[in-house]
Amino acid sequence: HTPGAPLKARDYAKVAEQVAEYGRLTPQQLAKRLKTLEKQMYQHAKNLEFEQAAAIRDQIRALQLT
């Protein structure tokens, strides 16, 4: 994904696939995965990689709704 470029359908498809995978995790595994994703999101934001941070934010939100 190119910085500054809009997210593409395949990026969203990847997130949807990951969310389906997370549905099979135990609550403890899910909590650990959310923490890891949050760290990645903050690191991307710190590096001014806002598109990547936003994609992870969307993934976190989807996971929190499962």
Side-chain angles (χ1 to χ4, degrees):
H1 183 266
T2 304
L7 292 175
K8 297 181 177 144
R10 70 174 177 257
D11 295 324
Y12 286 108
K14 181 179 176 186
V15 169
E17 182 180 307
Q18 290 171 337
V19 168
E21 177 185 318
Y22 298 149
R24 297 184 289 272
L25 297 176
T26 67
Q28 294 83 9
Q29 290 170 320
L30 183 60
K32 184 177 179 180
R33 183 63 184 145
L34 282 169
K35 190 168 196 161
T36 299
L37 287 170
E38 286 178 351
K39 287 180 183 179
Q40 290 174 356
M41 178 184 68
Y42 290 124
Q43 187 61 46
H44 281 301
K46 183 178 176 183
N47 294 339
L48 306 180
E49 300 165 344
F50 299 117
E51 292 81 12
Q52 292 91 334
I56 293 174
R57 178 206 59 214
D58 294 345
Q59 189 175 353
I60 290 169
R61 284 183 183 164
L63 285 170
Q64 291 171 333
L65 295 175
T66 58

